[in-house]
Amino acid sequence: MGGFDIAVIALVVLVIFVIITMVKTVPQGYRYTVERFGRYTKTMEPGLNIIIPFIDRIGARMNVMEQVLDVPTQEVITKDNASVSADAVAFYQVLNAAQAAYQVSDLQNAILNLTMTNIRSVMGSMDLDELLSNRDTINDKLLRVVDDAANPWGIKITRVELKDIAPPKDLVDAMARQMKAEREKRAQVLEAEGSRNAQILRAEGAKQSAILQAEGQREAAFRDAEARERLAEAEAKATQMVSAAIAAGDVQAINYFVAQKYTEALAAIGTANNQKIILMPIEASALIGSLGGIGAIAREVFGDNQAPAPRQRQSTTPRTGPASDPFEPQGQ
């Protein structure tokens, strides 16, 4: 092999090396930066790219896919001086490969420290109760703050999520006792409200019952008074009729009136509870005469004036009392 052959082989090898150095392939999901004499010139997109050999070189190989960063557990002092442990995860994506490569050193460490400091700031400005019940609010605040701080680095913080918030054990026990006391208080309040409502309903029922009972008594009293009024009117009318008959010279009318009172008095004496035996002089002829007078007046009232008045039986028994009986009918 002569010198010419060696030169050709060397030239071929040099060409192959230049081609390999000049042609670069970028995989999907990555961006490569190109530096010329140490200065950034451009960013290569996924696919086949050509650079000037021996002048340009690959600077940084940046992953532009969304990545997750685990934030380690850290102690946080809340606004009300409670110590809690919190850990989180952050999701980010490189939007500008040149800024992510040349604006910050050690990108992941920078994002990690930025997230940790903002977790302390956001959670430290809240009370413990607010901290435990508003995780969504904390996540939104962290996302907004960390994303604004990382924006000059050419990256986008897509999500910041708190994985766990762990208060101390004694604080957890105190919170459990507080929750139990609150629930017992709520149960007692509900029981008291139920008892009060039951008493109100019973009082309303008693009130309604008393009103209905009073209305019934008033109606009964009204009807009783009306009955007594009508009875008084009837008695007054009967007395008026008897008085008119007496004024007209009818002796039977006064006999009727006296016999009525006489009969009522005997009925009252006979039905008395404290009387078992009644001893009093009663002349049957006088009572029969009174009844005869009552019948005569009844015939006059009902218009039966044609029938003759019943004749009274003359007593043949000699009387030892007064000469005449005031209840004996006169003018027969």
Side-chain angles (χ1 to χ4, degrees), residues 88-270:
V89 290
F91 296 84
Y92 70 95
Q93 184 178 12
V94 176
L95 300 181
N96 191 318
Q99 290 181 343
Y102 302 110
Q103 294 293 332
V104 61
S105 177
D106 195 354
L107 179 61
Q108 287 193 350
N109 188 40
I111 297 174
L112 179 63
N113 284 276
L114 181 62
T115 305
M116 291 173 62
T117 54
N118 282 281
I119 285 176
R120 293 192 186 99
S121 299
V122 173
M123 296 179 64
S125 64
M126 304 174 69
D127 295 333
L128 179 61
D129 293 339
E130 186 180 4
L131 188 68
L132 296 176
S133 60
N134 294 318
R135 289 197 178 189
D136 292 339
T137 304
I138 298 173
N139 293 335
D140 292 340
K141 288 183 178 180
L142 286 174
L143 177 60
R144 184 172 61 254
V145 172
V146 176
D147 185 51
D148 291 341
N151 187 49
W153 300 341
I155 64 174
K156 171 68 176 176
I157 306 297
T158 57
R159 288 189 299 274
V160 177
E161 300 287 343
L162 290 173
K163 291 196 299 184
D164 189 22
I165 299 176
K169 187 177 183 303
D170 56 347
L171 189 58
V172 173
D173 295 338
M175 293 173 61
R177 291 194 299 270
Q178 180 183 3
M179 181 184 65
K180 182 179 179 181
E182 288 291 336
R183 292 185 179 276
E184 290 179 352
K185 174 185 174 182
R186 199 177 307 168
Q188 291 176 359
V189 170
L190 292 176
E191 185 178 358
E193 289 181 354
S195 177
R196 184 190 65 179
N197 292 336
Q199 291 178 0
I200 291 174
L201 291 176
R202 285 195 294 267
E204 289 290 338
K207 174 184 175 182
Q208 190 69 20
S209 177
I211 291 174
L212 294 177
Q213 186 177 4
E215 289 180 354
Q217 292 177 355
R218 184 184 66 177
E219 184 68 20
F222 176 76
R223 293 183 179 275
D224 187 49
E226 185 179 4
R228 290 198 302 269
E229 181 181 359
R230 292 185 179 180
L231 181 62
E233 290 178 356
E235 187 173 356
K237 186 174 181 181
T239 305
Q240 184 179 3
M241 293 177 62
V242 171
S243 299
I246 293 173
D250 191 354
V251 183
Q252 297 295 335
I254 191 170
N255 287 339
Y256 166 75
F257 187 75
V258 172
Q260 182 183 12
K261 297 299 181 182
Y262 186 74
T263 306
E264 291 177 357
L266 289 178
I269 294 173

Side-chain angles (χ1 to χ4, degrees), residues 215-327:
E215 289 180 354
Q217 292 177 355
R218 184 184 66 177
E219 184 68 20
F222 176 76
R223 293 183 179 275
D224 187 49
E226 185 179 4
R228 290 198 302 269
E229 181 181 359
R230 292 185 179 180
L231 181 62
E233 290 178 356
E235 187 173 356
K237 186 174 181 181
T239 305
Q240 184 179 3
M241 293 177 62
V242 171
S243 299
I246 293 173
D250 191 354
V251 183
Q252 297 295 335
I254 191 170
N255 287 339
Y256 166 75
F257 187 75
V258 172
Q260 182 183 12
K261 297 299 181 182
Y262 186 74
T263 306
E264 291 177 357
L266 289 178
I269 294 173
T271 57
N273 295 327
N274 58 350
Q275 297 293 336
K276 301 302 181 182
I277 300 176
I278 302 175
L279 298 176
M280 57 183 301
I282 299 176
E283 293 188 5
S285 60
L287 181 59
I288 294 174
S290 300
L291 295 177
I294 294 173
I297 292 176
R299 285 192 298 273
E300 291 180 2
V301 171
F302 291 103
D304 190 9
N305 296 326
Q306 303 300 325
R311 297 184 59 85
Q312 211 172 21
R313 184 174 58 86
Q314 299 293 331
S315 176
T316 57
T317 305
R319 299 180 182 179
T320 59
S324 62
D325 190 350
F327 297 102

Side-chain angles (χ1 to χ4, degrees), residues 49-66:
N49 295 269
I50 298 175
I51 62 175
I52 300 174
F54 309 111
I55 298 177
D56 296 337
R57 70 180 183 90
I58 302 299
R61 293 172 171 84
M62 302 301 301
N63 186 350
V64 295
M65 294 181 290
E66 187 173 3

